[in-house]
Amino acid sequence: MPTRDLTLAMIGSGGDGVVTMGEMMAQAGARDGLNVIKVEAYGPQIRGGESSCTLRMSAEPISAQGDAVDVLVVFNWADFTRFKGEVVPKADAVILYEAADPTPISDVKIPAAEKATWIPVPFIELATKATGTKAAKNIVTLGILAELFGIPPESVKKAVEFKFGKKKAGVLEANLKGFTAGREFAQALGIDVSARRLEYTVTAPKLVMTGNEACAVAALHAGCRFFAGYPITPSSEVLHFLSEWLPRSGGRIIQTEDELSALGAIIGGSFAGVKSMTSTSGPGLSLMAEMLGLASMAEVPVVILDVQRGGPSTGLPTKSEQSDLYLAVFGSHGDMPRIVLAPTDVEDCFHATVDAFNIAEETQLPVIILSDQAVGQSRQTVEKANLVHEVIDRRTPNAEELADYKRYAQTPTGVSPMSVPGTKGGIYQTNGLEHDETARPASSHVMHEKMSRKRFKKLDFVEEKYPLFVHLGPEKADIGIVCWGSSKGPVEEAMRELAAKGVSVSAFVPRIIMPFPKKAFVEYAASVKSSSSSR
Amino acid sequence: MNFVGQLYHYLRTLVDLPAGTRVFARSGGMNLSVTEVKSRIESVLSETGAREEVTA
């Protein structure tokens, strides 16, 4: 009986094209309206080392990558061993492996896959014969996978054409030959893998993008026209994407010498009236701590995207960990208000980024988006219609306020009108010094307390206006789960499976970490049975 | 998903967490799996015979 949910994993060395193969299959699935989640994993050397790509395609709603894979493609067993424990085939998985691999198959131990179907495939030989180069073995594999597992060849072919259509003459044709060779090989196999064939009805196409791309697209949507950054895994894709698209949108981008400079540059850009953003990962956010204080003291809106990775220090640069929460929430010198948002999936990266710009502009505070590698670098399908989000612009002083302009005027929300340099009557100077309402340096303890209270008052405004959270599951439940960021996906799927067994579970997922939606959380805790008792 | 459970400790600075709150925290390097979440909930149910809270 065919399946409606298929997880494939491809493993090879850098240059084998496993990630490209996964991307083309993801595009093919999205084109047919399937739900797709694709994750990649690399060794810390990033380029040239082992790489894996896991792709889940489903006709049903999905929230997480598959725990175990239905189909495993191994170009090199030596690389596979580096992902042991991370890529786990199901007991009855279909395993396609390079027939010419020097590792004897008797030496390959996959205890979990005791009932697996093992298929040796001469990937290199097929690619070389069909295209003249072994580099096309990933395209040959695409042909095999499409044929064996019910992924419509026409959709995959379109993805191949999209990938190679703009290359020099002959490249596309050679790859299409490789694709056909793969299909013909699969047809001649005569192996029954019908239980693993994907069965679905084609529906409207979906967008497919990574969390990092969603953040970059959202930044453009929100009106960001200046980006400064220093490349760091796993956030570099934001820099790459915006380096192409910001100039086309009338914006500017610079690669700075380090992260401290990047934040300094965007503080300058925002001071000049341009919505500005930087992206980094944990070690970069550490370097930004000094400038965070300046943004908070000078009340300059900036957006900082932190795609978290394993730490501390260089740690696990290519792997996910939710370990920068303390740094984002507390890291600074002095009392420093800031906003921290936490997107939960690729689509939410879009909304969190627009929210970040809106809140930054409304409150003139630094806003940190705490994404993580599992969200930032995973590729998921998104409904285009869902990428709609209102954009809020900065409040500039009106004529009355400019008549006696006070840059840091006390207001009920703590937010003062911010003039753009060059505005008649709106002149002021600012820096990291404490100041009075007119922005003149002031070192009295009375003024320091007064202005600190003004700055922190903005958090009350944000807590009231942006209680961002998701409540999953029933209104009242026996068991409650609190999680954040990329944990939401597996928690949501686990809840679905447990609910089917009659276990009553709900979850509270904050999308804003600072200020935390306390009121909503307390109400949620009261909705869970066990929470009514006290410790 | 980190060794010290940063979300849990942060929450404790903000609110009184309900009695019976359990912490599930481990180092990163591998994404949280559906199986992990399910087995954690099931083990809490079987350990206590009652219903508890789990903080992931």
Side-chain angles (χ1 to χ4, degrees):
Chain A
M1 194 175 139
T3 180
R4 289 172 64 77
D5 193 336
L6 184 72
T7 298
L8 309 101
M10 289 75 81
I11 292 176
S13 300
D16 279 346
V18 294
V19 172
T20 304
M21 181 166 47
E23 277 177 12
M24 286 189 272
M25 289 195 74
Q27 278 179 20
R31 197 184 294 275
D32 281 1
L34 286 170
N35 297 300
V36 172
I37 295 179
K38 179 179 85 66
V39 296
E40 303 160 14
Y42 309 92
Q45 62 276 56
I46 300 172
R47 288 200 178 276
E50 68 278 10
S51 68
S52 80
C53 174
T54 303
L55 176 73
R56 184 176 179 194
M57 307 169 86
S58 179
E60 308 295 340
I62 51 174
S63 314
Q65 66 182 95
D67 281 5
V69 305
D70 301 292
V71 180
L72 174 66
V73 176
V74 179
F75 285 150
N76 182 324
W77 286 114
D79 288 320
F80 174 76
T81 57
R82 297 186 180 101
F83 291 106
K84 261 192 174 169
E86 291 182 40
V87 178
V88 180
K90 285 181 181 168
D92 57 349
V94 178
I95 301 174
L96 300 110
Y97 61 97
E98 171 56 58
D101 190 288
T103 306
I105 203 65
S106 55
D107 288 0
V108 178
K109 305 270 190 301
I110 310 180
E114 72 272 14
K115 294 177 193 162
T117 303
W118 297 73
I119 307 176
V121 181
F123 294 114
I124 295 173
E125 188 186 325
L126 286 170
T128 309
K129 271 189 189 166
T131 72
T133 170
K134 66 178 182 180
K137 66 181 176 181
N138 59 340
I139 308 299
V140 169
T141 311
L142 272 180
I144 296 171
L145 295 176
E147 193 64 36
L148 288 181
F149 303 108
I151 303 148
E154 278 313 306
S155 299
V156 183
K157 209 170 148 187
K158 278 181 187 162
V160 174
E161 285 166 355
F162 182 78
K163 176 76 182 171
F164 297 105
K166 289 179 185 167
K167 301 273 183 187
K168 64 181 180 184
V171 173
L172 174 62
E173 290 70 18
N175 278 288
L176 290 176
K177 278 183 191 168
F179 182 68
T180 304
R183 289 188 63 195
E184 287 170 355
F185 175 84
Q187 286 161 3
L189 271 176
I191 292 177
D192 178 19
V193 289
S194 53
R196 294 276 181 252
R197 278 187 74 82
L198 198 54
E199 187 178 79
Y200 62 95
T201 308
V202 175
T203 56
K206 293 185 171 80
L207 295 174
V208 59
M209 60 175 71
T210 65
N212 285 343
E213 287 168 350
C215 287
V217 168
L220 293 172
H221 172 73
C224 173
R225 291 298 177 266
F226 180 56
F227 180 96
Y230 184 80
I232 180 170
T233 303
S235 76
S236 300
E237 292 86 359
V238 180
L239 175 68
H240 300 161
F241 187 97
L242 289 176
S243 65
E244 182 179 352
W245 288 97
L246 251 185
R248 293 189 194 186
S249 310
R252 293 286 181 274
I253 185 165
I254 56 171
Q255 181 181 320
T256 51
E257 65 271 33
D258 59 29
E259 289 87 346
L260 180 62
S261 305
L263 183 49
I266 67 163
I267 289 172
S270 183
F271 173 76
V274 179
K275 290 186 183 182
S276 304
M277 179 189 190
T278 185
S279 68
T280 188
S281 189
L285 188 64
S286 299
L287 293 180
M288 290 178 182
E290 182 187 339
M291 280 288 172
L292 266 175
L294 175 62
S296 193
M297 176 61 94
E299 302 190 40
V300 179
V302 285
V303 173
I304 301 152
L305 169 64
D306 173 10
V307 187
Q308 298 168 96
R309 65 191 211 182
S313 190
T314 311
L316 289 82
T318 58
K319 305 281 178 71
S320 196
E321 191 169 67
Q322 297 177 309
S323 49
D324 295 347
L325 188 146
Y326 287 169
L327 177 61
V329 168
F330 299 121
S332 77
H333 48 277
D335 286 338
M336 193 211 109
R338 86 291 302 274
I339 307 297
V340 181
L341 303 176
T344 56
D345 54 34
V346 169
E347 185 179 309
D348 198 33
C349 281
F350 176 87
H351 296 294
T353 304
V354 182
D355 276 333
F357 276 98
N358 287 349
I359 296 171
E361 294 296 327
E362 276 185 292
T363 62
Q364 300 164 21
L365 280 172
V367 179
I368 299 168
I369 305 166
L370 265 188
S371 176
D372 59 55
Q373 185 272 343
V375 168
Q377 290 192 320
S378 81
R379 196 171 285 279
Q380 294 179 9
T381 36
V382 174
E383 297 278 359
K384 190 181 172 187
N386 293 346
L387 300 186
V388 176
H389 200 122
E390 185 195 1
V391 172
I392 299 172
D393 291 321
R394 191 176 305 181
R395 178 178 173 274
T396 49
N398 56 34
E400 192 183 332
E401 287 163 336
L402 286 171
D404 179 23
Y405 184 53
K406 289 179 179 168
R407 166 66 186 97
Y408 299 113
Q410 292 285 352
T411 66
T413 59
V415 181
S416 321
M418 184 178 181
S419 73
V420 175
T423 305
K424 192 176 179 186
I427 191 167
Y428 72 100
Q429 67 86 40
T430 193
N431 53 41
L433 284 169
E434 186 56 281
H435 42 254
D436 62 16
E437 286 184 89
T438 63
R440 290 196 188 91
S443 61
S444 95
H445 69 281
V446 177
M447 186 59 71
H448 182 44
E449 177 153 6
K450 192 176 163 188
M451 297 310 279
S452 291
R453 284 188 188 284
K454 169 199 182 305
R455 289 188 289 270
F456 271 92
K457 213 186 315 183
K458 299 175 191 177
L459 294 183
D460 299 335
F461 164 75
V462 175
E463 190 171 349
E464 183 67 26
K465 182 170 176 185
Y466 292 93
L468 306 174
F469 68 94
V470 179
H471 180 147
L472 299 172
E475 278 188 25
K476 291 191 181 295
D478 293 339
I479 297 176
I481 301 176
V482 185
C483 65
W484 68 294
S486 61
S487 300
K488 175 183 165 258
V491 165
E492 193 171 18
E493 289 232 0
M495 283 173 56
R496 231 177 265 149
E497 292 181 24
L498 289 169
K501 290 182 186 172
V503 181
S504 168
V505 197
S506 66
F508 183 88
V509 191
R511 296 178 55 242
I512 185 164
I513 304 293
M514 168 69 101
F516 194 80
K518 290 194 287 289
K519 193 178 159 203
F521 177 73
V522 169
E523 284 171 8
Y524 169 74
S527 77
V528 178
K529 261 191 184 175
S530 63
S531 67
S532 58
S533 56
S534 58
R535 182 174 270 174
Chain B
M1 187 171 54
N2 62 280
F3 187 68
V4 293
Q6 293 186 9
L7 177 65
Y8 168 70
H9 290 291
Y10 174 56
L11 278 177
R12 287 194 63 184
T13 69
L14 299 171
V15 292
D16 290 329
L17 292 174
T21 298
R22 303 294 184 93
V23 185
F24 175 38
R26 66 157 171 81
S27 293
M30 193 160 88
N31 296 346
L32 191 66
S33 72
V34 176
T35 308
E36 273 180 294
V37 179
K38 276 187 345 192
S39 64
R40 180 65 182 172
I41 293 171
E42 281 162 355
S43 74
V44 168
L45 284 171
S46 64
E47 273 170 31
T48 62
R51 286 143 178 156
E52 303 279 6
E53 289 219 340
V54 177
T55 303

